[in-house]
Amino acid sequence: MTAVPQDDTAARTRSGDAAVASTLALASFIVTFDITAVVVAMPVIKAELALDVSGFAWVMDAYSLAFVVLLTSAGVLADRHGRRRALLFGNLVFVAASVACGLATDAATLYAARAVQGVGSAFVICGCLSLLSERFREPAARGRAFALVGTVTGVAMAAGPAGGGLITEFFGWRWVFFINIPICLFIALAVPRLVAESRDPSARAIDYLGVATLTLALTSLVWLLLHGTEIAGFDLPLWAAIAIPAGAGVAFVLSQTLRAEPMLELSLMRDPAFLGMCLVPFALSIGYWSLLVYLPLFLETGLGQTLASISWLMLAATLPMLLLPFVGARLLLAMTPRWFFSIGLVCVAGGCGVLAVAAREGSLALAIGGMLACGTAAAALNAQISSVIMTFAPRERAGTVSAIATILRQSGFAAGIAVLGAVLRQSGGERLAADPEPFAALFVAAAGAALVAGLAVAALLPSAEKRAVEATG
């Protein structure tokens, strides 16, 4: 019997690890690419399906709301029934919903299909991240695997606008969804061959009450922002329309406080420093990520740009996400988290302010400058949030903290889209004419959210001296 050289075995192991990491990274790619590619296609979708501003917002929020409310449940189901099975199930749901999106001929069908896409994405992401953690247990290997996923996600973020614009320009907006079919097919064939199944039979139970109250709170809040007090043809009193999301929010907090194994350990937010860090992903989702949804509409309706031009102009806002994360890491080393995140959010607010001036003046040059400023500041902050927020919570709560950060991002994204949509509707009416000025109010609202959060972070996060005392104490 011929012995296999140790170097050959190690080489095959490295090759297998690379194949697993690359395949799982591709699953993360398709979810992120779909979001940014759809953003550029939205003005065309809006025109073809005769969407008003509220409908425009629901195309994105239907996806985000489904994703955020099912994220923790998808994680529980993945642990209990198999992480690989969860990823493959999510992949199947995602591709089926993508086909339904591409075939949609009315707004209601598109909203429903986008919500189902969000369900699929929740399972894909939970399965992907848990499989990576299970396969790569050695810290250095795990760091490389997650770095690859982060890089691929950055590529998807940067390539989405150009790719979505080109696909829409040459093949039509429906192919922005149909392009998912071959990629999802590859994932379906590759994952069973490359990735071993793993599960945790002792996984905690699903928090059904938490899911229900969070769903009602977020959905009713978005509805109130986009549609006011009218629900299903009835015009509710204002106090009643406000009481629904407020009451559901209180019920969610109580359910998490009283439950032995809550969906989210909200008690962590009693620490001012942790609460301050939680504001960062939420505010960044409003001041940057939600803004991306409306930038193509601003460039087309407000500044008269063509779809092909918009595809490349959007790179000013998204390309920094690929190029600048390492710059953010170096800045964080040179500064305390308190000043790094507070100044970064103020810079995001400044970029939004430049965009507001661009809307007032109808200036494309200022618009590019504002997008570049927002994208640069957001890119510096975004890659550092997860690692820093972990330092403000007990190490044994790492999973919970990661879930909180993800839900805050997605909740901020959904709420931000609704808030900015409501502001745009009030300033420009339900159907926008060829005029950039109504978008100024939208950009001011985004700037205000980022600025207030930046000031709050500066107040809540400890100084370097205080943090050193707490660490030694």
Side-chain angles (χ1 to χ4, degrees):
M1 180 176 179
T2 304
V4 178
Q6 189 171 1
D7 289 346
D8 290 349
T9 302
R12 283 199 294 270
T13 299
R14 288 194 299 270
S15 176
D17 287 348
V20 169
S22 299
T23 301
L24 294 177
L26 183 63
S28 176
F29 173 92
I30 189 60
V31 171
T32 305
F33 179 85
D34 187 79
I35 294 173
T36 55
V38 170
V39 163
V40 177
M42 280 301 300
V44 180
I45 297 173
K46 176 180 181 293
E48 183 168 328
L49 299 185
L51 303 177
D52 56 21
V53 173
S54 299
F56 183 95
W58 273 114
V59 174
M60 302 302 298
D61 265 348
Y63 176 98
S64 297
L65 290 171
F67 181 91
V68 69
V69 299
L70 286 176
L71 189 64
T72 56
S73 299
V76 171
L77 291 172
D79 288 341
R80 184 183 300 168
H81 299 291
R83 284 91 179 225
R84 187 179 70 178
R85 181 176 296 176
L87 190 155
L88 293 173
F89 170 75
N91 185 65
L92 176 62
V93 171
F94 185 82
V95 71
S98 296
V99 173
C101 287
L103 296 176
T105 56
D106 59 81
T109 302
L110 183 59
Y111 302 155
R114 287 287 286 167
V116 177
Q117 265 195 321
V119 174
S121 295
F123 280 92
V124 168
I125 291 299
C126 287
C128 172
L129 297 182
S130 58
L131 286 170
L132 278 172
S133 296
E134 183 68 21
R135 173 65 181 256
F136 301 96
R137 298 190 178 186
E138 194 271 322
R142 178 177 293 185
R144 289 192 297 270
F146 276 89
L148 175 63
V149 172
T151 301
V152 168
T153 301
V155 171
M157 173 59 63
L166 292 173
I167 291 170
T168 304
E169 179 80 11
F170 291 102
F171 302 102
W173 66 266
R174 298 178 187 279
W175 280 95
V176 172
F177 298 105
F178 291 151
I179 195 67
N180 296 334
I181 297 173
I183 302 175
C184 290
L185 179 61
F186 174 82
I187 292 170
L189 295 174
V191 167
R193 289 165 171 77
L194 295 173
V195 185
E197 182 62 283
S198 69
R199 57 173 57 86
D200 178 10
S202 63
R204 59 194 176 120
I206 295 175
D207 182 0
Y208 292 104
L209 179 60
V211 171
T213 52
L214 181 61
T215 301
L216 180 60
L218 290 176
T219 304
S220 58
L221 174 61
V222 169
W223 185 275
L224 176 62
L225 290 169
L226 293 176
H227 301 281
T229 59
E230 183 181 347
I231 301 178
F234 296 97
D235 195 11
L236 297 178
L238 180 60
W239 66 266
I242 295 175
I244 294 173
V250 171
F252 174 72
V253 172
L254 289 175
S255 73
Q256 301 307 289
T257 303
L258 300 176
R259 185 179 171 88
E261 293 185 338
M263 181 194 310
L264 297 176
E265 291 190 42
L266 299 180
S267 60
L268 291 171
M269 294 190 183
R270 295 171 186 167
D271 177 13
F274 184 77
L275 177 61
M277 276 305 303
C278 287
L279 290 176
V280 177
F282 190 83
L284 194 61
S285 290
I286 298 175
Y288 173 74
W289 296 108
S290 300
L291 198 69
L292 293 180
V293 174
Y294 294 98
L295 281 175
L297 188 62
F298 166 61
L299 292 170
E300 184 204 45
T301 303
L303 299 182
Q305 297 298 303
T306 64
L307 183 61
S309 298
I310 293 170
S311 303
W312 300 110
L313 289 171
M314 285 291 293
L315 291 177
T318 60
L319 194 58
M321 278 291 167
L322 177 61
L323 302 178
L324 297 180
F326 294 109
V327 175
R330 292 181 179 179
L331 287 173
L332 181 58
L333 290 174
M335 306 166 67
T336 63
R338 178 189 190 186
W339 295 116
F340 174 77
F341 288 108
S342 59
I343 292 173
L345 287 172
V346 170
C347 289
V348 171
C352 294
V354 174
L355 282 166
V357 176
R360 295 280 187 191
E361 302 293 330
S363 170
L364 178 60
L366 282 174
I368 294 172
M371 288 191 291
L372 188 60
C374 278
T376 299
L381 299 181
N382 188 66
Q384 312 309 318
I385 293 172
S386 296
S387 61
V388 175
I389 198 172
M390 296 290 183
T391 67
F392 289 96
R395 182 174 298 178
E396 62 272 16
R397 297 289 187 270
T400 296
V401 173
S402 179
I404 289 175
T406 302
I407 288 176
L408 285 169
R409 288 177 191 269
Q410 293 299 323
S411 298
F413 186 56
I417 291 171
V419 168
L420 298 183
V423 170
L424 183 60
R425 186 184 63 184
Q426 291 298 318
S427 62
E430 284 291 344
R431 300 186 183 278
L432 297 170
D435 180 10
E437 192 163 344
F439 289 90
L442 180 152
F443 296 134
V444 169
L451 180 60
V452 169
L455 296 175
V457 167
L460 291 169
L461 263 62
S463 63
E465 294 78 8
K466 183 178 179 181
R467 196 176 180 199
V469 170
E470 291 173 347
T472 56

